Amino acid sequence: MASVGGGSKDTLTLNLYPMLDIFSILIVFLLMSYSTDPVSHDVNSGLELPDSVTMVTLDELPAIVVTKSELFVNDKKVADVVNGEIPRAQLGESFQGAIRPVYDELKRIADANKRIVAATLNDPAQVGKTGALTMEMDKGHPFKLMKRIMLSAQQAEFVTFKLVVTRIEN
Amino acid sequence: MRRKRKGIKRQDVTDIELNIIPFIDVFSMLNTFLLFSAVFVATGIIEVQVPFLSNAPQPKEEGQRTLEVKVDAAKDKLQVITEYSKEPRNEQKFDFPNTKEGMDRMHERLVAIRQANPTQDKLSFFSEDDVIWESISAILDAAKFRKQTDPVFSFKNEKTGAMEQDQQFVFPKIIMGSVIL
């Protein structure tokens, strides 16, 4: 109010140092949380993860994402999900209950991985090694859907699954 | 020195103010960027395996009499089954309700089984089709992870002969048995 009316020549100076302190602390905190998490992954908005007491942190981005209504393999939509089921028409030429489009996509990835491993490793024993997949799935989906996806992946030589959950305190 | 100091003329005291506004601008931008890209939900993983048919030769342990531990999940019931791989099989079944209390009791039973058989680190998990993933993850939690109040499982490593401890897990290896059934 000091300068209002032009009568007084007093100027008010705002002390900005406390704000600077807060900013510094906030930046340090945010940068620290960046460096401690090996993988920073934003959960898909179309799904809710179940809670778990696991201490094992996420080490790679999910390859399979099953939202409430869609199924993605490496960000590519491969099937719809209706009431926790894959529509029969999209199952494809299914074998033992697997999902054909998921199998095809994973098989393509597995073959590409094998070619890369064969080109970089001299040990032929390592080439045929089975792979691991990270899977993120909505907590409301039934085991039947999970089983179908796991079976499709198993046929494509992925036998280890890292199931993504929300970490809570033990 | 003293002379020199004496010789210096005393000047008027002037306030030197550092212009911190650009500094604040940079901090604000950095804060905004970091807050937007920050992830506030801590995600973790539960590692499981599915059975895999292989042409590789059977391991030597196949000939030994080992304990097999299974967990069978239904919508309202959980069952722990223990059985030896060879005669006498001594099959035992323990039933629990599929509730929070039931899972706690199942966890205690599994801890007791692991304590009695510390070298046995594998558990087969079976589930009915209509059990939802939220319920399965809670069952896997109870079967796989050790609580702070649980005892530490010490066992002898067959390969190295050294004593080892399982600090984090009750059953570290979970096999999703129902996948190929």
Side-chain angles (χ1 to χ4, degrees):
Chain A
M1 293 300 286
S3 61
V4 173
S8 170
K9 294 284 179 191
D10 291 349
T11 51
L12 268 180
T13 52
L14 192 67
N15 188 7
L16 294 171
Y17 288 104
M19 195 166 87
L20 212 58
D21 290 347
I22 293 167
F23 271 25
S24 312
I25 291 164
L26 201 58
I27 283 176
V28 170
F29 166 74
L30 288 169
L31 287 172
M32 284 285 283
S33 62
Y34 251 67
S35 58
T36 48
D37 276 351
V39 174
S40 174
H41 168 60
D42 226 348
V43 178
N44 193 306
S45 56
L47 63 85
E48 267 184 89
L49 294 176
D51 294 336
S52 169
V53 294
T54 181
M55 297 294 284
V56 188
T57 51
L58 192 67
D59 55 357
E60 60 180 29
L61 292 175
I64 298 180
V65 177
V66 192
T67 68
K68 284 187 170 76
S69 58
E70 289 164 316
L71 197 161
F72 298 89
V73 177
N74 269 356
D75 288 336
K76 182 183 170 189
K77 186 186 166 184
V78 291
D80 288 311
V81 180
V82 182
N83 297 326
E85 283 263 18
I86 303 290
R88 187 165 282 276
Q90 291 182 23
L91 283 175
E93 226 179 275
S94 183
F95 42 93
Q96 298 170 12
I99 307 161
R100 186 77 198 196
V102 174
Y103 165 78
D104 289 341
E105 196 58 32
L106 291 176
K107 186 72 185 157
R108 199 179 57 75
I109 295 166
D111 290 344
N113 284 350
K114 269 185 193 172
R115 279 198 299 275
I116 294 165
V117 172
T120 51
L121 285 177
N122 294 324
D123 183 9
Q126 292 285 315
V127 177
K129 235 182 169 184
T130 50
L133 269 182
T134 307
M135 183 159 88
E136 189 177 68
M137 186 161 151
D138 185 76
K139 66 181 184 182
H141 285 321
F143 183 66
K144 189 180 181 181
L145 178 62
M146 182 184 265
K147 203 166 82 172
R148 278 187 188 281
I149 296 166
M150 284 182 167
L151 186 64
S152 314
Q154 191 243 29
Q155 305 279 355
E157 295 179 24
F158 289 96
V159 290
T160 303
F161 288 86
K162 295 170 181 178
L163 306 169
V164 183
V165 287
T166 302
R167 263 190 300 150
I168 51 164
E169 289 295 311
N170 189 346
Chain B
M1 289 294 283
R2 205 174 276 175
R3 276 182 196 166
K4 262 191 176 178
R5 273 185 192 166
K6 274 186 177 177
I8 293 170
K9 276 189 177 177
R10 193 182 171 86
Q11 289 180 342
D12 291 336
V13 178
T14 52
D15 286 335
I16 298 168
E17 274 199 39
L18 190 69
N19 186 10
I20 56 168
I21 306 297
F23 205 48
I24 290 172
D25 287 348
V26 172
F27 268 31
S28 313
M29 292 298 289
L30 199 57
N31 260 325
T32 313
F33 166 73
L34 288 171
L35 282 169
F36 264 96
S37 53
V39 177
F40 295 102
V41 179
T43 46
I45 52 164
I46 302 175
E47 194 172 305
V48 295
Q49 288 179 324
V50 291
F52 187 65
L53 301 172
S54 164
N55 294 330
Q58 297 273 322
K60 269 186 178 177
E61 295 95 62
E62 290 294 316
Q64 292 173 0
R65 185 172 175 261
T66 54
L67 184 74
E68 289 167 5
V69 186
K70 295 173 197 167
V71 170
D72 207 336
K75 222 170 183 178
D76 55 349
K77 197 181 89 172
L78 299 168
Q79 194 172 48
V80 174
I81 306 160
T82 58
E83 187 185 13
Y84 281 93
S85 58
K86 285 186 170 181
E87 296 292 344
R89 290 191 177 267
N90 291 351
E91 190 190 55
Q92 284 186 298
K93 290 180 179 177
F94 308 93
D95 289 333
F96 308 96
N98 191 352
T99 58
K100 174 86 180 67
E101 290 74 31
M103 280 181 212
D104 287 342
R105 279 171 47 211
M106 183 190 80
H107 176 81
E108 283 166 21
R109 171 57 60 189
L110 289 171
V111 168
I113 292 168
R114 180 76 206 272
Q115 235 185 334
N117 307 272
T119 49
Q120 176 59 35
D121 59 356
K122 199 162 65 180
L123 179 144
S124 299
F125 177 80
F126 297 84
S127 173
E128 285 184 5
D129 285 350
D130 58 349
V131 182
I132 61 167
W133 166 219
E134 187 179 24
S135 180
I136 290 170
S137 80
I139 299 164
L140 292 178
D141 264 7
K144 186 163 178 145
F145 300 107
R146 188 186 149 265
K147 289 180 184 171
Q148 282 175 347
T149 49
D150 295 337
V152 175
F153 310 109
S154 301
F155 59 95
K156 193 178 175 183
N157 189 318
E158 294 293 322
K159 286 176 188 169
T160 60
M163 286 302 284
E164 288 184 6
Q165 283 190 332
D166 232 338
Q167 303 266 9
Q168 204 179 348
F169 302 106
V170 179
F171 286 97
K173 291 177 191 163
I174 304 268
I175 313 293
M176 302 296 267
S178 356
V179 170
I180 56 164
L181 288 180

